[in-house]
Amino acid sequence: KGTKLLLILLCFASFVLYGMYFTGFGTNASTIMSFFEINEAQNGVILTVQSFACIVLTIILALVGERINKITGLFVGLLIMGVAGVLIGFIPNLFSEGSGYIFMLLFSLVAGVGYIMIDLLMNGVFADMFPNKKNTLLPYVHAFYSVGAMLAPLFVTAVVNPDVAKTFSRPYLFIGAVAIVAGVVLAFTGKRVLAD
């Protein structure tokens, strides 16, 4: 009830956004390659740098994760993924077609840090805040990643025009902006839940 229900819904929303961010890449790949004028191997490097960020942060969280407030960590993850998405969204405003690829890699690296924080810390949020319900709630929250993964191709297809390469950035901008808003609401909700 109340703020705890809102916390659960925000956790679900976090995984939807994470799923949309991560899986939308495939549908958007040709438009990304068209804008940056890169080949498939260079396009694959975008996922590689994200994965590198995930590996590094996984090791760090394995060492210090127990000392982190999980709700705060989730907020930070949403904020990082959101800011990275918004920055990618503005690339066409700052660079012409055929340039800006290095910034796409840099911002994708940052985004990888954000979404892996969401992934790794989510179980801890439910274990800490809903210890008696975690076995019931955790399968649901992970199912919402699948919801995001299913929505991503539909969303990307709706907002990206393959004939206008710069529109590759629209999904990143939208998902990033929503992630920032969700993160801020989550921060305030987490404070209220912890205060109760």
Side-chain angles (χ1 to χ4, degrees):
K1 295 181 180 179
T3 52
K4 284 198 171 184
L5 176 59
L6 180 57
L7 177 62
I8 292 169
L9 294 176
L10 287 166
C11 288
F12 290 167
S14 299
F15 256 43
V16 170
L17 291 168
Y18 164 35
M20 289 181 71
Y21 183 95
F22 187 75
T23 58
F25 181 82
T27 309
N28 207 7
S30 61
T31 315
I32 291 171
M33 288 190 289
S34 177
F35 179 83
F36 292 110
E37 297 177 4
I38 55 176
N39 58 35
E40 291 181 1
Q42 290 171 304
N43 196 48
V45 173
I46 297 170
L47 289 180
T48 301
V49 297
Q50 288 181 173
S51 300
F52 176 76
C54 293
I55 291 168
V56 171
L57 200 72
T58 299
I59 294 168
I60 292 170
L61 288 178
L63 297 173
V64 301
E66 289 304 314
R67 289 178 258 171
I68 296 173
N69 179 295
K70 305 305 184 295
I71 295 176
T72 301
L74 198 57
F75 155 68
V76 171
L78 277 167
L79 194 63
I80 291 172
M81 184 181 78
V83 169
V86 169
L87 289 172
I88 293 170
F90 279 107
I91 284 177
N93 299 99
L94 303 173
F95 300 96
S96 59
E97 290 187 24
S99 60
Y101 173 64
I102 190 69
F103 288 94
M104 181 66 178
L105 293 179
L106 177 62
F107 299 151
S108 295
L109 180 74
V110 174
V113 170
Y115 69 63
I116 201 63
M117 286 183 75
I118 296 168
D119 192 349
L120 295 175
L121 295 176
M122 187 64 75
N123 287 2
V125 171
F126 282 89
D128 290 349
M129 303 309 304
F130 310 99
N132 298 326
K133 301 266 187 187
K134 66 177 182 178
N135 292 333
T136 302
L137 291 171
L138 278 174
Y140 284 106
V141 76
H142 287 285
F144 274 86
Y145 176 88
S146 299
V147 172
M150 288 188 293
L151 289 174
L154 301 174
F155 173 65
V156 171
T157 302
V159 300
V160 172
N161 181 351
D163 297 323
V164 183
K166 67 181 181 179
T167 61
F168 88 91
S169 64
R170 289 177 181 171
Y172 290 101
L173 184 61
F174 176 82
I175 293 168
V178 174
I180 291 170
V181 172
V184 171
V185 176
L186 177 71
F188 284 106
T189 303
K191 281 187 177 181
R192 289 190 62 185
V193 169
L194 293 171
D196 289 344

